[in-house]
Amino acid sequence: RYFKIKDLKTGMKRINLKARVLAISRPQLALTRYNDCVMFANVTLTDETGTVKLTLWNGRINSLSVDDIIEIENANVTAYKGETQLRIGRQGKLKVIKSYEGALKKELEHAPNLDNIAT
């Protein structure tokens, strides 16, 4: 079962969601309570009902592009500074269903070759 963004409430667990990547923030460094440096970026997701933020950490940051259609499994809904956010823990999954870059490349491959058209 997939939830819509408008139905997400703080405290919900094991959420499945399909959404489009609307924006990705510039990655930033953060210092953990264990004195480790980690990279994070905030991703704004959208569906027909609204938007929500998703925080990606370290290696997952480069796995998405703007306009990708993604599927999230087993996420939790939290609040940070009063804003509803999604968190993908160790048990969560994130996969790209439809890559924007891949779709664009495919579209360009099938475009008519305009160089051979006589004017």
Side-chain angles (χ1 to χ4, degrees):
R1 175 173 174 235
Y2 292 97
F3 283 86
K4 295 295 182 186
I5 290 174
K6 73 174 177 69
D7 298 326
L8 300 179
K9 304 276 186 266
T10 302
M12 293 173 81
K13 298 191 181 304
R14 297 186 195 102
I15 299 301
N16 297 328
L17 180 81
K18 288 184 181 180
R20 184 171 62 89
V21 176
L22 194 59
I24 303 172
S25 72
R26 170 178 268 133
Q28 299 175 50
L29 272 176
L31 190 63
T32 69
R33 62 182 173 215
Y34 305 110
N35 258 358
D36 295 330
C37 280
V38 293
M39 293 285 287
F40 74 94
N42 288 312
V43 177
T44 304
L45 301 176
T46 187
D47 67 11
E48 62 274 8
T49 66
T51 61
V52 69
K53 290 243 171 80
L54 166 70
T55 303
L56 293 181
W57 300 93
N58 297 321
R60 282 189 167 160
I61 293 171
N62 296 323
S63 65
L64 300 180
S65 299
V66 172
D67 284 327
D68 282 354
I69 306 296
I70 65 167
E71 179 178 48
I72 297 170
E73 293 179 14
N74 221 6
N76 297 327
V77 183
T78 63
Y80 181 71
K81 295 185 178 178
E83 187 176 31
T84 301
Q85 292 191 347
L86 281 174
R87 297 270 167 105
I88 302 174
R90 284 180 173 75
Q91 304 301 317
K93 294 180 183 174
L94 169 69
K95 70 179 177 182
V96 176
I97 297 172
K98 184 177 178 188
S99 167
Y100 176 72
E101 289 177 5
L104 185 61
K105 184 178 176 186
K106 189 183 243 183
E107 195 173 294
L108 290 174
E109 285 173 359
H110 292 33
N113 186 351
L114 300 178
D115 295 335
N116 298 332
I117 296 176
T119 54

